[in-house]
Amino acid sequence: KGYTARRGDYKGVVTNCSHFYNNQSAYYQKPSPDDAWALYDLAHDPSEERDIAAEQPDIVAALRAWVLDEDLSCQCYQCGYG
């Protein structure tokens, strides 16, 4: 029930997207501006064991802005949405 966005070595994760919308009788999830993000540096932490969001708020803000500006949605086939 979450969302993932990756740019370069950084992977941003919203573990619980709070915004749902209906598109042609199918429900999708997408992040809202208020959702909390986790951030991982895959080059140094490929197992995603250390959330660095608090240490890198500028990268989190850039990922959030990119996702919201592009109106990207979660079309997850594992969780039943999309």
Side-chain angles (χ1 to χ4, degrees), residues 17-82:
C17 294
S18 61
H19 184 77
F20 287 87
Y21 70 98
N22 191 321
N23 182 11
Q24 298 177 354
S25 299
Y27 283 94
Y28 295 89
Q29 288 182 286
K30 65 190 233 181
S32 78
D34 299 324
D35 288 335
W37 285 68
L39 181 69
Y40 303 97
D41 181 350
L42 299 178
H44 296 99
D45 180 20
S47 299
E48 301 175 25
E49 295 179 13
R50 186 169 173 259
D51 178 3
I52 60 169
E55 300 166 23
Q56 300 290 341
D58 54 332
I59 296 172
V60 173
L63 282 171
R64 179 184 288 122
W66 174 54
V67 168
L68 295 176
D69 289 348
E70 295 292 327
D71 197 28
L72 303 175
S73 65
C74 174
Q75 295 185 19
C76 177
Y77 298 99
Q78 293 177 352
C79 63
Y81 297 101

